[in-house]
Amino acid sequence: MEEWYVPITILPGICLLILSTSNIMIDLSREIKLLIKDGGSSKLIERKLRQLKLINKAMVFLYLSVGSFVISALLLGVSTSTGINIQAATYILFLGILFAMLALGSLILYSFRAVRLRQDQYHNKC
């Protein structure tokens, strides 16, 4: 794979995921702060803190993915312009894809847990 632009074309999608995930994280942090201030259920606060931790992991994976894609694109660009085959660029690209998939898995898990948490809140189980 000698096309340096392949990792760069993936970046806008990953950056949109970072933007939406950071908005979710900010809203969740505000909600936790309100629950603590208003004396909410400690069980509910604990569950929401676990959700926040899961979102934070997803953010870390997304940041690692962006870093991997940028490094891969730079190495592929240098490889193309100099004619030297840098095999590590392909491995770094696949590492970026792996980080993106781990982030997506974390976000999917977060979504399922968030719905379950809201249902429990509605039914006053927390």
Side-chain angles (χ1 to χ4, degrees):
M1 180 181 302
E2 294 188 20
E3 293 85 12
W4 62 269
Y5 54 85
V6 171
I8 298 300
T9 58
I10 299 171
L11 282 179
I14 300 295
C15 291
L16 283 174
L17 280 172
I18 289 172
L19 179 64
S20 65
T21 304
S22 65
N23 287 333
I24 291 170
M25 192 162 68
I26 289 168
D27 288 341
L28 187 57
S29 293
R30 285 183 186 149
E31 190 176 350
I32 291 169
K33 183 180 177 180
L34 268 173
L35 283 170
I36 291 171
K37 183 181 176 183
D38 295 341
S41 165
S42 61
K43 184 178 177 184
L44 177 62
I45 293 170
E46 184 64 33
R47 286 178 72 183
K48 292 215 177 256
L49 285 171
R50 278 186 269 152
Q51 289 291 90
L52 187 61
K53 186 176 179 181
L54 189 58
I55 286 289
N56 189 48
K57 284 181 186 179
M59 289 292 284
V60 168
F61 286 136
L62 288 171
Y63 291 144
L64 289 170
S65 177
V66 166
S68 297
F69 288 142
V70 168
I71 291 170
S72 175
L74 287 173
L75 290 176
L76 286 169
V78 168
S79 173
T80 301
S81 65
T82 62
I84 300 170
N85 187 10
I86 303 174
Q87 193 66 27
T90 304
Y91 296 125
I92 294 171
L93 174 65
F94 286 118
L95 187 64
I97 293 169
L98 175 68
F99 285 138
M101 295 306 293
L102 287 171
L104 289 174
S106 296
L107 290 171
I108 289 169
L109 185 59
Y110 167 81
S111 296
F112 283 125
R113 287 182 180 176
V115 169
R116 191 176 330 126
L117 185 61
R118 289 290 183 201
Q119 287 174 335
D120 289 348
Q121 273 182 283
Y122 178 72
H123 297 298
N124 295 325
K125 292 182 182 178
C126 290

